[in-house]
Amino acid sequence: MRLLVDGRYVQDHFPGVGRYVYGLVRALAQLGGPDLEIWLVVDPAARNTRFDLKELFAGGRLKPVEGPPVFHPAAPAALARLERRLRPDVAHYTHYFRPWVRGALSVVTIHDLIPLSLPESMPARTWRLVYRMLVWLAVRLSDAVIVPSAATAAALARHFPGLKPVVVPGGVGPEFRPLPAGEVENLRQQQALPSRFCLYHGSNKPHKNLAGLLAAFSLVADPSVSLVISGHVDPRLPRPNPSGPGADRVRWLGPVSDAELVGLLNAAEVFVYPTLAEGFGLPVLEAMACGRPVVTSAGTAAAEVAGEAAILVNPREPAEVAQAISRVLADRNLAKRLGRKALARAAEFSWERTAALTLGVYLGAAERASLKRD
């Protein structure tokens, strides 16, 4: 099989989608063997400080091909030309930006429908209409649709009835793991981390509910505990300012490397992720893989990922979020139980499993296409 994968999201601007593409293609290259030829579309001009593309291409099983910038108006036509030139058996568009015409047999991943399910996350109605049109085109022009969670599948069914997407959960790499206590303490000292802290890691997008997190932390009474916030910062979006009790105990780190993130997760007493909506919830999974107790949002894909290994709360109720945080901070036995459950739950996810299920989607789409031709 010759596979064309849209990897232009392996860059700083797309931390979550980039992680998905990077983890998927690395595992596909190992799983598929010599019978699977993978061309990865990359944007060499995009800023990329997070993902090691040299390591990705070092084995020779993945081949880079230069593609257009994600948001360039001519990108759909350029991708269609790439299809015609490379003649893949399957083209996998890993986000909803794809050619606007049918070409090769194609698969698309729809990570979430947050702008439609949570309109306040994209306030401008015009942009929501454009977004809806692009997603509609992507799913209608593709031969198979992948979603990362049952929550996203349900959202897709609400907004685009008649579709039958395949749920393929994301994975977590082996670098996310519990570290020895001495190594964690060295990291704490090197980065001048507080002796006790809660951690949030994610972007500053509206649906991540940072304002709600800050409101909740102001209700955490223990003065010895700080809140550390790390992750991708979109400069176009405002950053909420902490106020009230505990405002002086909030520390913003901004983007961190994966090695730094693993250290932060291991040093934190609790990982807090009160998202309003989620397509999957990679930060929750990565925290659990490090054995962290997790507080996250009920009724979201993050809860689907966490299963019974986290405390689930209403993210719109700061008092409820604060109470859950305080419970974990005050009850060492509870924290240990949650940590053990988290490790067990995270062990159910891997990029190898994601790749195997995704390969099954490719083969299923190819088989259906063959039957139609016959």
Side-chain angles (χ1 to χ4, degrees):
M1 177 182 287
R2 172 176 284 192
L3 176 63
L4 179 68
V5 179
D6 190 354
R8 296 173 298 152
Y9 309 98
V10 182
Q11 57 162 290
D12 290 0
H13 187 75
F14 295 93
V17 179
R19 173 86 80 205
Y20 163 77
V21 178
Y22 189 85
L24 171 64
V25 295
R26 185 166 60 173
L28 276 172
Q30 296 169 352
L31 177 72
D35 292 333
L36 183 64
E37 181 182 1
I38 306 174
W39 288 91
L40 186 68
V41 184
V42 296
D43 175 6
R47 177 177 170 79
N48 173 31
T49 62
R50 295 177 55 83
F51 305 102
D52 189 346
L53 287 175
K54 288 184 179 179
E55 184 268 339
L56 199 61
F57 295 122
R61 291 186 175 177
L62 283 164
K63 301 176 182 179
V65 57
E66 186 172 331
V70 173
F71 299 115
H72 195 285
L79 292 171
R81 286 195 297 271
L82 265 182
E83 278 192 19
R84 290 195 294 272
R85 176 162 67 87
L86 296 175
R87 301 176 63 84
D89 297 301
V90 177
H92 184 176
Y93 294 102
T94 51
H95 211 3
Y96 58 87
F97 298 104
R98 56 150 293 155
W100 294 343
V101 294
R102 278 192 176 273
L105 188 76
S106 63
V107 174
V108 68
T109 298
I110 302 297
H111 295 275
D112 62 68
L113 272 82
I114 291 170
L116 303 183
S117 303
L118 198 72
E120 61 264 39
S121 68
M122 188 181 280
R125 185 172 181 271
T126 300
W127 282 114
R128 290 202 305 275
L129 290 173
V130 170
Y131 171 84
R132 184 182 181 89
M133 180 191 70
L134 291 174
V135 174
W136 181 85
L137 280 170
V139 298
R140 295 299 176 187
L141 291 171
S142 299
D143 297 280
V145 178
I146 290 173
V147 293
S149 63
T152 300
L156 204 62
R158 285 196 304 273
H159 293 284
F160 302 100
L163 285 175
K164 295 182 178 179
V166 182
V167 176
V168 177
V172 62
E175 64 272 24
F176 290 93
R177 67 196 191 284
L179 299 177
E183 190 173 337
V184 175
E185 187 54 38
N186 287 338
L187 286 166
R188 187 192 303 278
Q189 293 178 10
Q190 290 169 9
Q191 299 184 31
L193 295 171
S195 58
R196 303 185 70 199
F197 66 92
C198 311
L199 177 67
Y200 165 87
H201 177 78
S203 75
N204 61 329
K205 291 183 178 179
H207 69 273
K208 299 296 186 180
N209 194 28
L210 284 180
L213 172 61
L214 292 172
F217 185 71
S218 72
L219 301 175
V220 175
D222 192 334
S224 69
V225 178
S226 298
L227 172 64
V228 174
I229 299 175
S230 64
H232 175 73
V233 176
D234 189 328
R236 300 170 299 176
L237 301 172
R239 188 178 82 176
N241 292 316
S243 60
D248 59 335
R249 291 183 280 120
V250 177
R251 181 174 172 187
W252 301 81
L253 297 183
V256 295
S257 68
D258 283 354
E260 290 169 330
L261 175 56
V262 172
L264 283 169
L265 287 168
N266 274 269
E269 290 196 30
V270 57
F271 183 76
V272 189
Y273 199 72
T275 180
L276 299 177
E278 206 69 22
F280 180 65
L282 273 175
V284 167
L285 179 56
E286 290 166 355
M288 293 195 304
C290 292
R292 290 304 85 198
V294 171
V295 173
T296 193
S297 306
T300 67
E304 188 179 326
V305 170
E308 297 180 355
I311 297 179
L312 303 180
V313 295
N314 181 347
R316 297 186 185 274
E317 294 291 342
E320 187 176 332
V321 179
Q323 183 182 34
I325 295 170
S326 298
R327 279 182 61 201
V328 179
L329 293 171
D331 190 338
R332 189 173 296 274
N333 289 329
L334 172 63
K336 287 181 178 179
R337 285 199 305 275
L338 287 171
R340 288 194 296 269
K341 286 184 176 182
L343 285 171
R345 177 63 174 168
E348 299 176 22
F349 297 83
S350 70
W351 289 118
E352 289 74 20
R353 178 171 177 257
T354 302
L357 292 171
T358 303
L359 186 57
V361 175
Y362 301 157
L363 295 172
E367 185 177 351
R368 289 192 298 274
S370 177
L371 289 172
K372 284 182 180 178
R373 287 195 297 270
D374 294 342

